[in-house]
Amino acid sequence: MRAGFDPGALADRIAGGEPLALARGISHVENESVGFEALLERLDGRTGRARRIGITGPPGAGKSTLTAALARHYLDQSLKVGIVAVDPTSPFTGGALLGDRIRMGELSTEPGVFIRSMASRGSLGGLATATREAADLMDAAGYDRVILETLGVGQAELDIAVSADTTAVVLVPESGDGVQAMKAGLMEVADLFVINKSDRPGADRLEKEIAIIMSIRFANRTPGAAAGAGVDWRMPITQTVASEARGVEEFAERLDQHFEWLTSTGELEARRRAARLRRAHDALLRRSHRDAERVWQAASAEILDSGASPYAIARRLYEELE
C-alpha cells in the first residue's frame, strides 16, 4: 500500500464536486493507498443518487462511440455525466490497452463530464473492485449519470450486472452468427439490447434473432421472478448509428423506462442491496488477500524449502492467518 493521505479533507473536496479531488480519490482507490477505505466510508452516505448504466458488448461494437453519444445527450439535458471506461489489462504493464479517453475525444473537455479509463486487472466480468468504487466516488461527487463501459466477449459478465442499475448489451449486425453462442454469457445479463452500426446489412435480421431468443427465455422464466407483483420487464431492442447519434434519443428513453420499472417494482432497491453486499464481500476478500500476502512475504525458508507439497505449505501459512 502506498503512502496515506487525509481522507476527511479529500472527501469534503470530492463532495464539493472538485474534478481534481475526484481524480485523486480514484487514484488512491486504485493504488490502495493508506486511508482509501476510510475515504469511501466517509462518502458512502452521499451515494445512491446517480443512475448507473452498464454498457457492454464484444470488441468492435462501437461501445465507446455509443457511450460518448449517450453522454452528449445527457449533457444537452443539463445532466452531469461520469464515465468509467474499463479496458483489458496489459499482461506486461498492468495498464489498460485501449485508452477510451482518447477515443472519446472532445467529450473529455466538457465541464459536465468526468472520464476515467481503468484496467480490468483480470476481473472475469471486466470490472475490478476499484472500478465499482470509482463509480461510488463519481456518485458522491454529484454526477447524475454514471456510465460503466466495459469489454464483454461472452464470458460471465456478472460484475457489470451487479454494478449497474441497467445493463445494455451492444451488438452489431455481424454479431448474428454468434448470438446463440453468446446466449449463456452476455445475453443473460442484458436489461436491453442495442444494435449499433445498424446502417449495415443484417440489422433487422439480428433484431429478429434476439427477439426470438428473448421470447424463449421469457417463456421459460418463473412467473413473478422479478421483484414486485410479478410485472416482468421485456427487454427492448434499439437500433442505433452512434457515430451519427441516430437512435441515441430512443436508447435514452428505453433506459428511462427501465429505471421507472425498477423503481415501481422494487427491483431497484433489491439490485442496489445486492451491489452493496457485493462490495462488502470484495472488501473482505481484498483485506484477506493483503493479509495472505503479508504472511507469504514473511514466510521462513524452513517452510518454503521444506520439500512439502504446495498444498501443505499453503496450509501451514494459512494457519498463521487464523
Side-chain angles (χ1 to χ4, degrees):
M1 294 178 68
R2 299 191 179 185
F5 59 99
D6 184 345
L10 187 58
D12 289 342
R13 292 176 58 198
I14 292 174
E18 292 186 35
L20 180 57
L22 176 57
R24 288 177 176 172
I26 294 174
S27 293
H28 285 308
V29 167
E30 281 192 284
N31 297 327
E32 297 186 12
S33 304
V34 175
F36 82 99
E37 288 186 338
L39 171 68
L40 292 165
E41 192 167 359
R42 283 175 179 270
L43 290 170
D44 182 68
R46 297 185 61 87
T47 63
R49 290 174 290 185
R51 294 189 195 178
R52 303 190 187 197
I53 301 164
I55 296 182
T56 188
K63 298 182 297 297
S64 294
T65 305
L66 181 63
T67 296
L70 181 63
R72 177 68 63 185
H73 172 80
Y74 287 141
L75 286 176
D76 291 341
Q77 295 182 328
S78 299
L79 297 174
K80 294 181 64 179
V81 183
I83 299 172
V84 184
V86 184
D87 290 332
T89 305
S90 165
F92 302 104
T93 66
L97 290 174
L98 300 180
D100 288 88
R101 284 176 294 179
I102 296 175
R103 286 180 296 174
M104 291 181 186
E106 61 184 34
L107 183 67
S108 61
T109 63
E110 295 284 349
V113 176
F114 184 93
I115 303 174
R116 183 66 174 237
S117 184
M118 301 181 71
S120 64
R121 300 185 178 183
S123 178
L124 182 61
L127 280 175
T129 302
T131 305
R132 292 189 289 271
E133 291 168 340
D136 287 342
L137 294 183
M138 291 181 182
D139 190 349
Y143 288 85
D144 304 293
R145 302 287 187 272
V146 176
I147 303 175
L148 305 169
E149 185 228 319
T150 186
L151 180 69
V153 290
Q155 76 271 41
E157 290 289 275
L158 298 179
D159 277 359
I160 191 170
V162 81
S163 301
D165 299 325
T166 301
T167 300
V169 171
V170 184
L171 302 171
V172 288
E174 294 82 0
S175 302
D177 293 337
V179 166
Q180 289 292 337
M182 294 180 192
K183 184 167 58 174
L186 283 176
M187 308 295 281
E188 295 297 320
V189 303
D191 293 305
L192 50 88
F193 292 92
V194 177
I195 301 176
N196 193 32
K197 305 180 182 180
S198 60
D199 51 343
R200 295 180 179 178
D204 292 337
R205 177 174 59 87
L206 176 59
E207 181 172 348
K208 291 178 181 178
E209 290 181 7
I210 295 173
I212 292 172
I213 291 172
M214 289 300 104
S215 65
I216 295 172
R217 174 182 166 189
F218 188 84
N220 292 333
R221 290 177 63 176
T222 302
V231 181
D232 290 307
W233 170 258
R234 292 181 179 269
M235 283 77 70
I237 305 167
T238 306
Q239 292 193 21
T240 64
V241 182
S243 60
E244 301 175 7
R246 285 162 50 188
V248 173
E249 184 174 352
E250 180 184 354
F251 175 39
E253 290 175 358
R254 295 283 174 83
L255 291 171
D256 288 342
Q257 291 167 6
H258 185 250
F259 191 80
E260 291 171 4
W261 176 83
L262 290 172
T263 303
S264 64
T265 60
E267 180 70 8
L268 179 65
E269 182 179 353
R271 289 191 180 195
R272 290 188 171 181
R273 177 182 181 274
R276 288 180 65 82
L277 292 179
R278 176 63 178 270
R279 288 198 290 278
H281 178 260
D282 288 347
L284 176 62
L285 290 180
R286 181 166 54 197
R287 183 163 297 190
S288 299
H289 175 75
R290 288 201 299 265
D291 290 342
E293 184 65 22
R294 173 180 50 79
V295 170
W296 175 261
Q297 294 296 334
S300 66
E302 178 184 357
I303 295 176
L304 298 180
D305 299 329
S306 63
S309 72
Y311 312 102
I313 293 174
R315 187 165 53 251
R316 286 192 61 181
L317 294 176
Y318 182 77
E319 290 172 355
E320 297 186 23
L321 290 172
E322 296 181 327

